[in-house]
Amino acid sequence: MKPGERWEFAAFWSGEVLWDVSMARYSTLRTGGPAEALVTVTHLAELKKLLAWLEERCIPWRVVGRGSNILVRSKGFAGVIIQLRGEFNHVIRLEESVEMGSDPVFVRAGAGCSVAKLVAWCTNHALGGMEFMAGIPGSVGGAVRMNAGAWGRAMADSLRSIILIDRLGQVMEVDHSGLRPGYRRMELAQASLDDLIVVAATFVLKRGRQREILRKCRENLKKRREKQPANMASAGSFFKNPEGDSAGRLIDAAGLKGLRHGQAMVSPDHANFLVNIGGATPEDILSLAGEVRERVYQKFGIWLEPEVHII
């Protein structure tokens, strides 16, 4: 922000704000440079007001979810990081599907809601369709933006619509026909998602037996835990899988398990996990990722694309 704008913002904003905050506290990689301001927004009306204020002054901003897929460079972010909480954490069943025995059931979740909370809510209400997301970290908004998934399924498979807000505070709902999902990305048919914020998503689910839904969730959790490193900070899978192959297989075949740069390491348990073994800097992570990409390219002629968003 320009000189004096911090004072102006303090007078304007009545909600929670933290200044010059280390993003290591808000990233599952447990590393990251400082954000000039971290703002918690709890209501849609607040978000509209905040976006209008920032846009009027050309102040950069970025929405982050639960920090499971981001890495902020050491130089930090000169602007406002926005977290969605409060009403953005809700999960509700829409009235049009409340009749007993009706299928499908439409469930709306706020973008700030954790994926874990959504899966638990669906399980508790005996609604099937989200079991494949069990154990996947992050927020609903982030999961929609990257079309997260596992076991051959992705968020787009269960989406009915998403609710968005643009930089001018205009709210719109885009149904499934207006979405163009891809591997680890979500696009719109008529616009770019780059300047839009996901504020909620509606899912199409089916009634089922709670015991069976819980069994599937536990099974998926078990499979994830068996394959992934435990008790180490990471961002999950660091690279996207190239078409027809696995990033983890390529990294492993290149002999890179255990490779270290500073306090960052390619996990010996899962080659597509770059882990912070204690005190890694963003440069450690990025340097390690760079060498992994280079050596995989040298051996296989394939450039791995990061799944993690570098800020």
Side-chain angles (χ1 to χ4, degrees):
M1 295 184 185
K2 298 175 182 176
E5 284 183 334
R6 286 197 180 195
W7 295 103
E8 189 181 349
F9 185 78
F12 155 78
W13 186 250
S14 59
E16 182 181 348
V17 57
L18 299 174
W19 296 101
D20 301 316
V21 60
S22 170
M23 290 303 294
R25 295 168 51 191
Y26 300 92
S27 168
T28 58
L29 270 167
R30 297 293 179 260
T31 188
E36 187 173 3
L38 178 72
V39 173
T40 300
V41 180
T42 58
H43 300 283
L44 184 59
E46 283 183 338
L47 182 58
K48 290 181 178 181
K49 185 173 74 169
L50 175 62
L51 291 177
W53 194 92
L54 296 173
E55 286 295 306
E56 184 179 344
R57 291 156 182 81
C58 299
I59 295 173
W61 55 267
R62 176 92 181 229
V63 176
V64 300
R66 301 278 164 162
S68 62
N69 208 38
I70 63 167
L71 175 62
V72 179
R73 299 176 187 272
S74 290
K75 67 179 181 181
F77 182 76
V80 176
I81 295 288
I82 301 170
Q83 286 193 315
L84 303 179
R85 296 290 185 264
E87 70 177 35
F88 299 103
N89 279 335
H90 73 266
V91 184
I92 59 172
R93 179 162 29 195
L94 299 187
E95 291 184 4
E96 59 191 291
S97 62
V98 297
E99 294 83 2
M100 290 299 294
S102 67
D103 258 337
V105 177
F106 303 126
V107 171
R108 178 166 293 166
C113 173
S114 71
V115 170
K117 177 180 175 179
L118 173 61
V119 172
W121 190 97
C122 293
T123 302
N124 291 338
H125 289 79
L127 296 175
M130 296 302 296
E131 297 92 330
F132 70 98
M133 292 294 289
I136 293 180
S139 66
V140 168
V144 169
R145 285 296 295 257
M146 68 173 293
N147 196 23
W151 322 120
R153 296 203 62 206
M155 291 293 273
D157 299 329
S158 300
L159 273 176
R160 185 194 191 198
S161 65
I162 58 176
I163 299 176
L164 305 158
I165 184 171
D166 67 15
R167 289 178 173 270
L168 301 178
Q170 298 297 311
V171 178
M172 66 200 79
E173 184 168 6
V174 179
D175 66 22
H176 192 275
S177 64
L179 303 177
R180 294 294 180 268
Y183 174 67
R184 297 299 176 263
R185 71 180 189 280
M186 184 71 70
E187 303 292 346
L188 303 182
Q190 303 297 329
S192 170
L193 265 180
D194 291 344
D195 293 326
L196 300 168
I197 299 172
V198 177
V199 294
T202 302
F203 300 94
V204 182
L205 305 174
K206 291 186 177 182
R207 300 177 194 277
R209 296 177 59 192
Q210 187 181 50
R211 182 177 297 179
E212 178 62 16
I213 294 168
L214 183 59
R215 184 193 67 79
K216 289 180 180 178
C217 287
R218 287 175 173 171
E219 185 179 278
N220 289 337
L221 272 170
K222 183 174 183 290
K223 288 190 291 186
R224 293 184 70 84
R225 288 169 178 164
E226 288 173 347
K227 292 183 176 182
Q228 297 178 359
N231 304 317
M232 284 192 177
S234 78
S237 295
F238 198 92
F239 298 102
K240 297 179 182 180
N241 289 328
E243 187 174 356
D245 210 332
S246 158
R249 188 200 72 80
L250 292 168
I251 298 168
D252 189 8
L256 302 179
K257 277 187 174 180
L259 177 68
R260 284 182 56 172
H261 276 227
Q263 295 300 101
M265 179 176 69
V266 177
S267 169
D269 300 313
H270 191 310
N272 199 18
F273 276 58
L274 306 189
V275 296
N276 179 351
I277 60 177
T281 66
E283 284 72 23
D284 289 341
I285 303 289
L286 292 173
S287 176
L288 178 62
E291 181 171 352
V292 168
R293 294 186 75 212
E294 182 65 36
R295 290 177 62 175
V296 167
Y297 180 76
Q298 289 175 358
K299 188 171 182 66
F300 300 106
I302 296 172
W303 279 113
L304 294 178
E305 181 181 351
E307 190 170 304
V308 173
H309 293 275
I310 313 300
I311 300 175

